[in-house]
Amino acid sequence: MSLFYSTTYGQELIELWDEKDIPNYKSTAEREDIAKRDITFISKVQKPTLEIFLPSERNANGKAILILPGGGYGGVAYDWEGTDYAKWLNAQGIAAFVLKYRSPQAASVIESYKAPIQDAQRAIRWIKRNAQKLHIKKELVGVMGSSAGGHLASTLATHSTSYYEATDEIDKESFQVSFMMLIYPVVSMKKGITHMGSRNNLLGKEPTKQLIEQFSNEEQVTEKTPKAFIVHSADDGAVPVQNSLVLYDALLKNNISTDMHLYPKGGHGYGFGKSNADAPDWTAVAEGWLNSW
């Protein structure tokens, strides 16, 4: 059973599993670390949590988004690409959920590449299990991810296999999402396209060809992949714009509705872009897309 406790940042915070039920987990003495920076960056994440942000009932439109912050799979930029997004989504009438997912290289993780997607699948199932009381429509649950969080979001949206064994009623729910929003995302694990830091953290420094293919999400797109909204900048020096281009090509070939916005400038990791004069004003077009269906 998931545990509930209060938080000063959101409306409610839950642990996705009791400690004894966390898949792919072993207890260690390692502890999470919150860096002293101008953003809240949490590394060595041990136990996944889901922070809930709800709009007023009158404003709610039934849509819900699981937010997956970036951080190169070395941690999560929790407010910068997480809780700040949640507050913006609430203003659009959308329920938002920020996932603090496990770091693949945390000492408590047994198999690195499984931990983040296990947490994301569980989070979607939890949202759907609680949809009625949260005034959410199950068919309107999507995912949003930035940078490495974009890789995790596209993994969730394109992989059809559950990465852990069912343990309770929550796991009877589907983890499939109805749409994805990817902000300067890592998509591929192939050299020359990927962000090597994210790849090394997720798959290790010498991954098999099978793992590289499995987590190159442009290769996992099918006619069942959900519709997509994608933002990227051509001058992104960390995550090449080719990540979004190869995904767009795969989506196009499978006739998946995709709204992609490529900008000449902006670099990488700009979040909302309020502190970067060159960053695109992507939230304006995102709001139009979210309100178009």
Side-chain angles (χ1 to χ4, degrees), residues 25-90:
Y25 173 85
K26 60 183 178 182
S27 182
T28 73
E30 186 177 69
R31 295 292 179 263
E32 292 181 359
D33 180 65
I34 300 179
K36 294 181 179 179
R37 296 164 51 177
D38 56 354
I39 65 172
T40 301
F41 190 86
I42 309 172
S43 59
K44 301 178 182 179
V45 174
Q46 305 293 307
K47 299 176 184 177
T49 61
L50 192 64
E51 190 166 6
I52 305 166
F53 292 78
L54 299 177
S56 64
E57 289 186 32
R58 182 177 292 184
N59 195 35
N61 56 27
K63 293 174 184 172
I65 295 181
L66 174 65
I67 302 172
L68 307 173
Y73 279 126
V76 289
Y78 195 75
D79 51 358
W80 182 247
E81 295 168 344
T83 58
D84 283 359
Y85 288 178
K87 296 165 189 174
W88 161 66
L89 289 170
N90 279 178

Side-chain angles (χ1 to χ4, degrees), residues 139-191:
E139 69 274 16
L140 294 178
V141 177
V143 64
M144 177 182 185
S146 303
S147 194
H151 182 267
L152 182 53
S154 60
T155 302
L156 180 65
T158 60
H159 291 222
S160 59
T161 301
S162 179
Y163 279 87
Y164 66 94
E165 296 294 328
T167 60
D168 57 19
E169 293 298 311
I170 292 172
D171 292 331
K172 292 181 180 180
E173 297 286 346
S174 168
F175 58 80
Q176 303 298 325
V177 294
S178 298
F179 59 96
M180 58 177 158
M181 301 179 70
L182 309 177
I183 315 303
Y184 41 82
V186 179
V187 172
S188 184
M189 289 286 108
K190 297 176 183 177
K191 284 187 176 180

Side-chain angles (χ1 to χ4, degrees), residues 86-113:
K87 296 165 189 174
W88 161 66
L89 289 170
N90 279 178
Q92 314 309 313
I94 300 170
F97 303 81
V98 181
L99 180 63
K100 185 182 71 175
Y101 53 91
R102 283 175 288 167
S103 306
Q105 297 301 321
S108 58
V109 170
I110 299 170
E111 289 184 277
S112 63
Y113 69 92

Side-chain angles (χ1 to χ4, degrees), residues 123-142:
I124 288 292
R125 285 166 159 159
W126 188 94
I127 293 167
K128 290 186 176 182
R129 183 68 179 177
N130 293 278
Q132 184 174 2
K133 72 178 182 180
L134 297 174
H135 306 286
I136 292 167
K137 297 177 181 177
K138 290 185 181 181
E139 69 274 16
L140 294 178
V141 177

